[in-house]
Amino acid sequence: MLSELLDRVYPPLEGRQPLPALYMPAAYAAMLLGYSRGPGAPQTLAVTAALAALALARPRYAAGDVMGDYSLSGAMFLMLLTYWDLGTAAGADGPRFVGDVDDDSGKNQTAGKGKGKKPRGRGARDNETAWQRLCWALRLASTTRGIGWNWRVKGVPAHYRGARRQSRGRFAAARALDAAWFAAAKALAVYVVGFCQAVKPAVVIAAGYGSPAVREFLVDAVVSWCGAVWSFCTIGLAHTAAAALTVLLGLCDPWEWPPIFDSLGTAWSVRQVWSTTYHQNLRRALQQPGVRLARFLGLRKGTLASRYLQLYVAFFLSFAVHWWQSYVAVRGDRGELAFFMAQPVVITIEDFLRWIWHGAVDAERRRDLARFERRVGYVWTVAAFTLTLRPAIRGWTGTSMIGGASPDEVAAVGLGRRHGELYLSGW
């Protein structure tokens, strides 16, 4: 219904104009202006109007490919949420650059205790010259996880082993090697997607074990997990490549680039995947609206009502951003609603099951069963994502968001399809 209403306002896909070259620079310029000027009603209104206007104009333009339209179109709303959070806070509650501090508590750090002590680091009001304000704003706008800031988000992985002692050249070389591994794994995942697309019709109708529905589900499960690997590797490739380049050029220090993902060993629940294992780039932007809404409603911090309100608001905002990206790219939902809004439901169920388990088994016995509990958690997590990934990955592969984002993906998915056809013909 919403798509149909928006279709009355925006042109069809074939009627869009090329995306202006200054579209993204204009958005960043507005954000930098707001950060460098500091908190205040006039700049807040101006930045909000500029980013909102750019965001709402995005469906009128085409970036040239589906993935480009999808990945860039939600940035304006995320920038707006981030600006409302960080650009409008003043004093000790505002963002302050504290440098290389290995602390992900996310709390303001102070230079000491007692009355009259100033918050540690550099805030917006500490910049005396226009150049200092611009540099401070650029640094603030360049991080989504708060690395080096007093608002560093929870769940940022520990730094690469030995990264603090590595030279710039060795750090850049190590991250370049990581980027190569991510690129290879992404190409393999896309290749398997192409292979499965080619053999799926024959596998579904072929006589054999299980019903056609079961065989279709199994093929879709393989494609879904390949889509998950694709997403993981696409983000990891961009992160490690940027880390290698900026450190090698002297624009950043190694400590500013902790890993984007935590160990897969931490993925023993769906909540853990989203809060620890997967990237935390959107955590602050999507979490703060729920925090502020809970405060507005008078819900006490740490209560079940506050906790689950924040959970559902965060995933609703994530769904809304991804749905908008899908509308801009292909004019409709491609599984975003089913996937993103299933996650808080699954997390609620697993929290309830863990509550029952903890109530039924005493603490000493749970310590003895810790390894068993962890293994059950891994099985649960795999099963949950196998079921919930399917609609989104089916939509993304069907519109070539997966398999059409770059020349290497086009080549990999094409090779997979050819090999699938050869397999069906008996090689």
Side-chain angles (χ1 to χ4, degrees):
M1 180 180 294
L2 181 57
S3 297
E4 295 174 355
L5 292 175
L6 293 176
D7 287 343
R8 300 177 183 178
V9 178
Y10 296 111
L13 293 177
E14 60 274 12
R16 296 176 298 173
Q17 300 176 2
L19 184 67
L22 296 179
Y23 182 86
M24 289 299 294
Y28 276 105
M31 196 174 187
L32 289 175
L33 178 62
Y35 283 154
S36 61
R37 295 290 297 175
Q43 47 266 44
T44 298
L45 290 174
V47 173
T48 298
L51 292 178
L54 288 169
L56 295 176
R58 186 59 180 81
R60 300 184 182 280
Y61 303 112
D65 60 86
V66 174
M67 190 58 189
D69 285 327
Y70 189 90
S71 60
L72 296 177
S73 54
M76 300 303 108
F77 289 113
L78 293 171
M79 291 169 69
L80 186 55
L81 289 173
T82 302
Y83 175 73
W84 284 343
D85 174 29
L86 300 175
T88 60
D93 294 327
R96 303 185 69 83
F97 181 70
V98 295
D100 185 8
V101 178
D102 191 13
D103 173 22
D104 69 351
S105 65
K107 299 178 180 178
N108 290 331
Q109 302 179 36
T110 58
K113 296 181 179 180
K115 186 176 181 180
K117 294 296 183 180
K118 295 182 178 180
R120 181 178 178 179
R122 177 177 290 274
R125 300 302 187 191
D126 300 320
N127 300 305
E128 298 178 354
T129 67
W131 178 250
Q132 288 178 338
R133 289 194 294 270
L134 177 60
C135 291
W136 184 90
L138 281 168
R139 187 179 285 275
L140 178 59
S142 66
T143 180
T144 56
R145 298 186 293 170
I147 307 302
W149 292 81
N150 63 338
W151 55 273
R152 179 174 173 176
V153 303
K154 295 180 180 179
V156 174
H159 283 280
Y160 295 101
R161 182 177 299 178
R164 295 174 183 273
R165 297 185 296 274
Q166 284 181 337
S167 65
R168 290 182 179 275
R170 291 188 63 183
F171 179 89
R175 300 293 75 77
L177 181 60
D178 291 339
W181 281 110
F182 277 124
K186 180 167 74 83
L188 179 60
V190 173
Y191 167 85
V192 175
V193 168
F195 186 91
C196 290
Q197 288 175 335
V199 303
K200 180 180 176 178
V203 170
V204 171
I205 65 175
Y209 178 77
S211 66
V214 171
R215 292 195 292 273
E216 181 180 14
F217 173 80
L218 293 175
V219 175
D220 284 347
V222 173
V223 173
S224 295
W225 279 104
C226 286
V229 171
W230 169 86
S231 176
F232 187 94
C233 292
T234 299
I235 296 170
L237 173 59
H239 176 86
T240 50
L245 182 62
T246 56
V247 170
L248 185 63
L249 296 177
L251 301 176
C252 297
D253 293 319
W255 66 264
E256 297 179 84
W257 289 96
I260 191 67
F261 301 115
D262 211 334
S263 168
L264 291 177
T266 62
W268 46 264
S269 72
V270 176
R271 181 182 285 276
Q272 274 286 113
V273 169
W274 290 110
S275 64
T276 301
T277 311
Y278 202 51
H279 75 82
Q280 303 301 302
N281 284 334
L282 307 182
R283 181 168 184 158
R284 176 86 185 195
L286 300 180
Q287 189 178 49
Q288 283 303 302
V291 172
R292 298 192 178 194
L293 179 58
R295 292 174 183 171
F296 175 77
L297 296 175
L299 302 178
R300 288 190 303 167
K301 182 179 179 180
T303 61
L304 284 178
S306 175
R307 183 183 187 186
Y308 285 102
L309 176 66
Q310 293 176 44
L311 174 70
Y312 279 83
V313 168
F315 275 102
F316 175 78
L317 291 174
S318 182
F319 150 69
V321 170
H322 285 86
W323 183 92
W324 177 256
Q325 293 179 162
S326 183
Y327 179 80
V328 170
V330 294
R331 291 296 190 265
D333 181 274
R334 289 299 181 270
E336 288 81 8
L337 174 62
F339 175 68
F340 286 102
M341 293 314 297
Q343 303 311 305
V345 175
V346 172
I347 291 173
T348 303
I349 294 172
E350 77 178 18
D351 286 349
F352 178 67
L353 294 176
R354 286 175 61 82
W355 177 74
I356 294 177
W357 170 257
H358 286 188
V361 182
D362 60 76
E364 183 176 352
R365 180 59 175 160
R366 287 204 310 272
R367 283 194 293 270
D368 296 334
L369 295 173
R371 183 173 295 181
F372 167 77
E373 183 179 348
R374 188 60 56 88
R375 290 174 178 172
V376 171
Y378 289 134
V379 174
W380 161 267
T381 303
V382 170
F385 278 108
T386 299
L387 292 173
T388 59
L389 276 168
R390 189 183 182 192
I393 300 302
R394 175 179 287 182
W396 295 349
T397 55
T399 55
S400 297
M401 280 187 278
I402 298 177
S406 58
D408 62 302
E409 286 191 22
V410 173
V413 75
L415 183 63
R417 288 169 181 163
R418 287 195 296 273
H419 285 176
E421 294 166 357
L422 288 173
Y423 172 77
L424 292 177
S425 64
W427 297 98

